Amino acid sequence: MNKLCPALIAGVLYILALAAPAGAQPEVTLQQVLDAAFKNNPGIAASQSEVEAAKAGVTQAEAGYLPQISGQAGYDLRWAETSRSTSSSSYSRAGQYDYYAAELSLSQYLYDFGKTSGRVESSRSSLAASQKGLATTLADLVRDVKNAYYEVLKKRHLVKVNQDSLRVQKQHLEQAKAFHQAGIRPKIDVTKGEVELSRTRLELIQARYNFRTSKVDLEKLLGGPPVSGTYQLKETPLRPPMPEDLKHLTKLALERRPEIADLKAQLMAAEADLKSAEGGYWPSLNARGGYDWADTTFPLESAWQAGVWLQWDLFTGLRTKGEVDQARAGINKLKARIRGQELSVSQEVSQNFLNLHEASESIDTAALGLKQAEENLALAKGRYRTGVGNAIEFSDAEVLVTQARSTLVQANYSYLQALAELERAVGGGPIK
């Protein structure tokens, strides 16, 4: 490892040098990009709407605790074959007549063995589940934005690697032409240099296209550009500290993952639904009162009523039993889903932990490969200048250096992306 440090440091310094700002474009940080995503991403807006809908559901359920006031008024054109009394007076008449009525009523829930309270608890738990669903959406978005951000930086560095390679290939071609004119090297060296120059230009075109595409992908996640006008992304530390305690990460994930919290909130809602369904076996007690006006002519006769009513649905065709059985089945299903989610989270943390360690080792290997490729290029360049080596050997050595630099860039950003995946697996946010 100590032998690799100089090469690794050199590789990091090379990448940081490539990251030097060009022109006067303002730099946009990762946090600014995340803030833009939180503000504009349509998925966040959809999840927030689900939370608002769940809050409205709580309001509807809690309305069962409050008094219910209603009023009604109406007019009937009636006909009776024989004289009869109206409901509000002893006035009797036969034939066709007008009938007017108005009523104001009030009812208040008193007790129903958990039917109303169960619905309220269920709605509150559903609200908690929707809030955890929003947290899941946010965590996914943070991971996706980080990966896209690192992808843009990686593609930008690969463009600069290819630009540097193009510059070197131009110098090589000029050298080959000078050697050919001096009679030191054959024409094939010039032709070889021209072919390599064309290949490098083609790779640069592809690298630039990939960079633009990655930027479009990032802005799609953000819901648009993070700032108005032109901008460039600010570089981030290439190799943050790597967590080592897998057991701690797994424990942390089981505590923090919003998917598990979402399912647990759904379980609480299902248990409240069971309580509400079981309340259907028992009566409900309500207070009622009303005031009405009715007669065939004005002024109308008035009357009032008040009392307590006990209602018991003694048989509902086994509907209540079906609701109870359905609620219990839902509880068992959610318990199984929670267990399955916990196993999935543990496996996901372990896999991403291994991926991060693999990415870390890849950086060391890529740094060593770059060091060896640069040494090989130095030898090939010396052999070519002294006439011992040939153009093919020299060109191959230059290609290997370009490939090694590209590999190191990819390894560094693969590490950052692997870290973002592990952070998401643990529940989102930095790992401590």
Side-chain angles (χ1 to χ4, degrees):
M1 181 66 183
N2 292 336
K3 295 181 179 179
L4 290 180
C5 283
L8 183 56
I9 293 172
V12 170
L13 291 176
Y14 173 77
I15 292 174
L16 291 176
L18 290 177
Q25 290 184 343
E27 286 191 327
V28 177
T29 66
L30 176 58
Q31 187 57 54
Q32 286 177 292
V33 169
L34 289 171
D35 290 341
F38 296 152
K39 182 179 179 181
N40 301 319
N41 183 270
I44 298 298
S47 295
Q48 288 173 336
S49 297
E50 291 178 2
V51 172
E52 293 302 317
K55 288 180 180 178
V58 173
T59 301
Q60 295 177 51
E62 290 178 341
Y65 287 139
L66 302 176
Q68 309 295 307
I69 302 174
S70 63
Q72 60 180 356
Y75 161 77
D76 290 337
L77 178 62
R78 300 186 178 185
W79 179 87
E81 185 175 356
T82 58
S83 299
R84 60 181 64 185
S85 299
T86 65
S87 60
S88 60
S89 69
S90 59
Y91 186 86
S92 301
R93 64 188 306 170
Q96 180 176 298
Y97 62 94
D98 299 319
Y99 183 76
Y100 308 91
E103 181 183 7
L104 183 65
S105 61
L106 169 69
S107 64
Q108 172 62 55
Y109 154 86
L110 296 177
Y111 188 67
D112 61 4
F113 291 89
K115 283 186 286 186
T116 299
S117 61
R119 285 193 292 268
V120 171
E121 291 176 15
S122 176
S123 66
R124 289 173 179 171
S125 297
S126 295
L127 172 59
S130 68
Q131 290 170 334
K132 298 304 179 183
L134 174 58
T136 299
T137 302
L138 286 170
D140 287 340
L141 181 62
V142 169
R143 176 200 57 199
D144 294 343
V145 168
K146 283 185 176 181
N147 282 335
Y149 186 96
Y150 299 143
E151 192 69 19
V152 173
L153 293 179
K154 179 174 70 175
K155 296 298 174 59
R156 186 177 74 188
H157 291 320
L158 291 177
V159 168
K160 293 179 179 179
V161 167
N162 282 279
Q163 288 174 335
D164 188 57
S165 177
L166 181 63
R167 178 183 56 80
V168 171
Q169 290 294 346
K170 287 179 178 179
Q171 293 174 352
H172 182 200
L173 178 59
E174 292 300 321
Q175 185 182 54
K177 288 179 177 180
F179 284 167
H180 173 62
Q181 291 174 356
I184 301 175
R185 286 290 177 180
K187 176 66 175 179
I188 192 172
D189 285 14
V190 177
T191 304
K192 175 66 174 175
E194 290 172 341
V195 170
E196 289 298 324
L197 184 62
S198 297
R199 179 189 59 78
T200 304
R201 281 176 175 160
L202 182 61
E203 291 178 349
L204 178 58
I205 291 172
Q206 186 63 50
R208 284 172 172 164
Y209 174 79
N210 291 338
F211 169 65
R212 290 193 293 267
T213 301
S214 66
K215 202 168 183 179
V216 170
D217 292 340
L218 174 63
E219 291 180 354
K220 180 181 178 182
L221 280 173
L222 305 185
V227 295
S228 59
T230 60
Y231 67 93
Q232 67 175 355
L233 301 183
K234 186 175 182 179
E235 190 59 51
T236 61
L238 289 179
R239 200 172 184 181
M242 182 172 54
E244 298 290 345
D245 190 348
L246 176 59
K247 185 176 180 181
H248 169 71
L249 293 178
T250 303
K251 181 176 181 294
L252 194 62
L254 294 176
E255 295 171 353
R256 289 170 49 176
R257 280 291 287 264
E259 296 92 334
I260 296 177
D262 182 357
L263 289 174
K264 288 181 177 179
Q266 291 183 44
L267 177 60
M268 294 177 64
E271 291 171 342
D273 286 338
L274 175 60
K275 176 183 175 182
S276 179
E278 289 176 336
Y281 287 127
W282 305 102
S284 59
L285 184 64
N286 296 279
R288 296 181 183 177
Y291 202 95
D292 61 81
W293 300 262
D295 210 330
T296 58
T297 60
F298 290 94
L300 304 179
E301 295 288 336
S302 61
W304 63 269
Q305 58 180 334
V308 177
W309 293 80
L310 182 70
Q311 181 178 342
W312 197 337
D313 297 328
L314 297 177
F315 183 70
T316 58
L318 300 180
R319 183 189 66 208
T320 301
K321 181 180 183 302
E323 292 173 348
V324 170
D325 291 344
Q326 184 180 33
R328 285 175 175 163
I331 290 173
N332 293 333
K333 178 182 177 180
L334 283 168
K335 287 181 178 178
R337 287 184 61 191
I338 289 172
R339 180 55 183 159
Q341 185 66 55
E342 289 174 341
L343 293 173
S344 178
V345 165
S346 298
Q347 186 272 337
E348 187 178 343
V349 172
S350 298
Q351 183 62 54
N352 283 284
F353 181 80
L354 294 175
N355 291 344
L356 182 62
H357 279 257
E358 178 184 2
S360 178
E361 293 181 8
S362 297
I363 293 175
D364 296 332
T365 303
L368 177 60
L370 176 59
K371 177 177 179 295
Q372 293 170 338
E374 289 174 340
E375 291 175 351
N376 181 61
L377 176 60
L379 293 173
K381 185 181 293 186
R383 286 167 56 84
Y384 183 74
R385 285 177 177 173
T386 58
V388 177
N390 55 45
I392 295 176
E393 180 185 42
F394 192 12
S395 296
D396 288 347
E398 288 175 333
V399 170
L400 286 177
V401 169
T402 300
Q403 292 175 343
R405 286 174 177 169
S406 298
T407 300
L408 181 57
V409 168
Q410 292 170 355
N412 275 291
Y413 287 100
S414 293
Y415 177 87
L416 292 175
Q417 290 171 328
L419 182 59
E421 293 289 347
L422 181 59
E423 288 174 347
R424 174 62 185 92
V426 175
I431 301 172
K432 297 180 179 180

